[in-house]
Amino acid sequence: MENKNGHSDVEKFRELIKDIKIAMLTTVDENNGSLRSRPMGTQLEDFDGHYLWFFTYGRSPKVQDVQQDRQVNVSYADPGSNRFVSVSGRALLVRDRQTMEKYWDTIYKAWFPDGLDTPDIALLQVAVDKAEYWDAPSNKFVTLVGFLKAVVTGQQYEGGENEKINFKS
């Protein structure tokens, strides 16, 4: 899969999210069906084209939500660089020690003080189905000129790239 700039969709997606440390994970509340979002630390491993991984506690409310409805959204935002990504996928709880070792970094000790020996530690695996991104010039002057041009000419502001990516064939 290539985007209109000749890069693979996976490469573009990886590049867009790689420096965004916190994502917002949205689940369907198991009690009333409302949408709930919470911040999650993005794994440090590069996106492989299939899965996003997040450390969590296995009995947390988000996991209870996912056990009722696996459909989730993960949102990434870097307003300073004008990068925004919305991901649709299906979540699954994973307790495999070897997989956790692969994604572990000492920074996670802030949330899991005993490291991988923290009781109830697990991973939330999000199988990525689709994504949409908005990637505009990060130079504020370029953005301002484009915005002003649209106001003066009456034409719609074209603020950069907006593409949809389908990761499932």
Side-chain angles (χ1 to χ4, degrees), residues 63-107:
V63 171
Q64 292 171 11
D65 290 348
V66 165
Q67 289 172 339
Q68 294 297 315
D69 188 337
R70 292 186 55 208
Q71 204 57 44
V72 298
N73 179 272
V74 181
S75 298
Y76 294 88
D78 182 0
S81 296
N82 287 323
R83 289 181 295 150
F84 306 90
V85 181
S86 177
V87 180
S88 299
R90 292 164 285 107
L92 180 68
L93 188 69
V94 175
R95 292 186 184 270
D96 179 67
R97 177 74 180 218
Q98 189 174 358
T99 304
M100 287 192 284
E101 287 172 356
K102 177 181 177 182
Y103 294 107
W104 181 259
D105 187 274
T106 54
I107 195 166

Side-chain angles (χ1 to χ4, degrees), residues 12-36:
K12 178 67 176 183
F13 182 83
R14 186 183 298 132
E15 188 65 27
L16 286 167
I17 69 168
K18 77 174 188 173
D19 294 325
I20 302 175
K21 304 297 182 214
I22 302 296
M24 293 297 288
L25 172 73
T26 303
T27 60
V28 179
D29 186 288
E30 69 166 333
N31 295 316
N32 61 21
S34 63
L35 300 177
R36 295 185 60 206

Side-chain angles (χ1 to χ4, degrees), residues 31-51:
N31 295 316
N32 61 21
S34 63
L35 300 177
R36 295 185 60 206
S37 298
R38 73 272 292 156
M40 300 290 291
T42 300
Q43 79 282 351
L44 302 176
E45 188 81 16
D46 279 343
F47 176 67
D48 65 1
H50 302 287
Y51 303 108

Side-chain angles (χ1 to χ4, degrees), residues 108-143:
Y108 300 133
K109 284 191 95 167
W111 295 276
F112 306 97
D114 294 328
L116 292 175
D117 294 322
T118 301
D120 199 33
I121 190 171
L123 282 168
L124 199 60
Q125 173 199 68
V126 176
V128 176
D129 293 327
K130 298 177 183 176
E132 184 169 4
Y133 67 85
W134 298 262
D135 186 18
S138 60
N139 182 306
K140 290 182 181 175
F141 180 73
V142 171
T143 302

